[in-house]
Amino acid sequence: MNSATTAQPANPTLSVVIPAFNEARRLGKTLAGIRTYAQKHAAIWEVIVVDDGSHDGTAALVRRGTWRPLAVRVLENGRNRGKGFSVRRGMLASSGETRLLCDADLSTPIEEIEKLLSRIAEGADIAIGSRDLPESKLDPPQPLPRRLMAWLFRGLRRRLLIPTIRDTQCGFKCFRGDVAQEVFARQTLDGFVFDCEILALADRLGYRIDEVGVVWRHHPDSRVKPRREVFRVLAELLAVRRHLRKLERPSPPDQAH
């Protein structure tokens, strides 16, 4: 597994982690959008792109681009390891005070980070974008077959894990840096169900998770094929639930007398 580094800041206020598999066509526009936003706000950000075994020049595109004032790094998995593996690797390699998971297609515009950072500033340990709240805006929404699959997955997941969270799968999540280190160090799943695992772990560890309605835009070439993986998804959700039962909840703080 290889890495390339360009001008990494000593203390970035935000690390943006982008898992990427054959994203050369879309990633340049995403990085340019993040760069423009960072310039406008004079933000000290690092971006870590984790190339998950791409064969379309994704890593080369990142290396040859000019992304200043962003400090952009690319980590290469060498072979396809899965989105969960890539996000875990990127989060644990990050150094930002806060850390954002962002999909390579930027389905949620980077401007929506302000909503998540506001919740972190108000005391949340994790703030996650949601497509399933009254204030959420889907423009355009997913086509009906994908919505039906999402509803099926959501119903199954809420019976097994974290029933209070409406949307675990939106690819726009923000973590306090120390929380990201603890949660992702415990993560075991490498596939797309990893979102459920990290949120269930965080909940079990007593961290505050705020769900925030965001703008979200459907892109037709999604890489997730849930119909092919329904049995594996069920097995992984059950495995996470068994694992959580072995994980002790933190003791409540002592009450002053």
Side-chain angles (χ1 to χ4, degrees):
M1 295 187 290
N2 302 315
S3 66
T5 306
T6 59
Q8 183 181 2
N11 296 295
T13 56
L14 181 74
S15 297
V16 182
V17 175
I18 305 177
F21 176 62
N22 290 337
E23 290 288 359
R25 184 173 62 84
R26 303 190 291 188
L27 188 56
K29 182 178 179 180
T30 291
L31 291 174
I34 296 173
R35 177 189 61 197
T36 298
Y37 181 88
Q39 285 175 322
K40 180 179 178 181
H41 294 271
I44 303 173
W45 287 7
E46 69 169 351
V47 177
I48 299 178
V49 176
V50 185
D51 181 8
D52 193 22
S54 300
H55 45 77
D56 69 342
T58 292
L61 177 144
V62 178
R63 290 195 191 95
R64 68 172 177 261
T66 302
W67 311 115
R68 286 188 292 269
L70 297 176
V72 179
R73 285 191 283 163
V74 58
L75 308 179
E76 296 183 69
N77 291 343
R79 61 182 178 87
N80 187 252
R81 303 292 297 270
K83 185 177 181 181
F85 179 94
S86 299
V87 173
R88 176 169 69 247
R89 186 181 182 199
M91 283 288 176
L92 294 179
S94 302
S95 56
E97 297 171 12
T98 52
R99 303 177 193 182
L100 175 72
L101 162 60
C102 172
D103 281 343
D105 60 6
L106 210 62
S107 293
T108 298
I110 191 60
E111 291 79 7
E112 296 293 278
I113 185 63
E114 296 172 19
K115 297 177 182 178
L116 304 192
L117 292 176
S118 176
R119 293 298 187 93
I120 297 289
E122 291 168 3
D125 299 302
I126 301 170
I128 64 173
S130 176
R131 300 161 294 183
D132 194 37
L133 292 174
E135 63 270 26
S136 305
K137 182 179 179 182
L138 308 186
D139 180 31
Q142 292 176 312
L144 182 59
R146 292 195 66 84
R147 293 205 302 272
L148 291 173
M149 291 301 299
W151 291 334
L152 176 62
F153 171 80
R154 186 176 305 154
L156 177 63
R157 186 265 305 164
R158 292 180 77 173
R159 283 183 174 273
L160 297 174
L161 294 171
I162 41 178
T164 57
I165 295 179
R166 297 174 66 91
D167 182 10
T168 58
Q169 303 308 113
C170 181
F172 203 71
K173 297 180 173 69
C174 195
F175 303 78
R176 276 188 14 228
D178 57 327
V179 175
Q181 284 292 143
E182 180 170 14
V183 171
F184 281 93
R186 296 172 181 265
Q187 178 201 334
T188 62
L189 298 182
D190 291 344
F192 77 92
V193 183
F194 85 94
D195 297 84
C196 301
E197 182 183 24
I198 58 172
L199 294 176
L201 282 167
D203 178 67
R204 185 72 173 176
L205 291 167
Y207 289 121
R208 171 180 155 186
I209 304 169
D210 281 12
E211 192 171 5
V212 184
V214 293
V215 175
W216 185 86
R217 300 176 182 129
H218 172 67
H219 293 279
D221 55 346
S222 170
R223 307 299 164 86
V224 177
K225 307 297 181 185
R227 282 177 291 183
R228 299 181 186 176
E229 304 187 29
V230 61
F231 294 109
R232 184 168 68 86
V233 165
L234 176 59
E236 290 185 349
L237 289 173
L238 290 170
V240 171
R241 190 166 73 164
R242 289 194 298 269
H243 175 62
L244 291 175
R245 287 173 175 170
K246 300 176 184 178
L247 184 65
E248 292 186 6
R249 285 187 180 273
S251 301
D254 293 335
Q255 299 295 321
H257 296 287

